[in-house]
Amino acid sequence: MTVSKEVIETILDRILLAPVKLYALMVSQRPNHTLIEVELDHLGHPYGSVSLLECEQVSRKLNEELERISPDLNYTLKVSSAGAERKLVIPEDLDRFRGIPVRLVYKLEGSNDKEGIFKILDRKEDRIFLEPFSKRKTKGSKKKEVILELKDILKGNLYVSI
């Protein structure tokens, strides 16, 4: 017996309570086994991190629903947070994670892809205003602002500095 990704999404829509929402869902069907991987996002947390308790609650409720609708299903369920260095959904996350360091891969006209770590200062329409990020504190020196066009950002993820 199998269960579709759409059925699992419908169940998650019912059991997830704001500010926790679905970030990603992967369902891998194998001949006699299904792997279900759920990644959660917390809209109220600065980095979107979901607690272990929240993951446990979603896992328990999803297990109960799967057992109810498909008692013969042989599956493994993994529920986790999307992670502190998650992939960014562009452009939405550029507004959401303003002020937080991000690693961006971008292109500039006539050059190869570039990569940098920046703090998001602002976004106005299709322009992103960034400040280069450094772990070292520099006294008195103002960092040069970088402005990128939204179309030039190839990918990005949150960056956690230690």
Side-chain angles (χ1 to χ4, degrees), residues 78-134:
K78 295 180 180 180
V79 177
S80 64
S81 176
E85 292 197 347
R86 75 187 51 217
K87 179 181 174 184
L88 295 174
V89 177
I90 296 174
E92 298 88 357
D93 283 347
L94 297 173
D95 294 324
R96 177 177 174 197
F97 294 113
R98 186 173 292 167
I100 292 178
V102 295
R103 180 185 317 264
L104 297 176
V105 176
Y106 57 97
K107 64 179 176 171
L108 294 176
E109 218 172 290
S111 70
N112 293 333
D113 294 353
K114 297 191 174 284
E115 183 175 323
I117 299 171
F118 304 94
K119 269 192 183 174
I120 302 168
L121 299 176
D122 199 5
R123 177 170 81 106
K124 292 187 176 127
E125 296 172 17
D126 289 341
R127 300 178 88 199
I128 311 305
F129 298 85
L130 306 162
E131 176 183 279
F133 177 76
S134 172

Side-chain angles (χ1 to χ4, degrees), residues 55 57 63 68-69 73 94 98 108 119 124 127 140-141 157:
C55 290
Q57 290 170 340
N63 264 321
R68 187 180 61 73
I69 65 168
L73 181 65
L94 297 173
R98 186 173 292 167
L108 294 176
K119 269 192 183 174
K124 292 187 176 127
R127 300 178 88 199
S141 66
N157 61 285

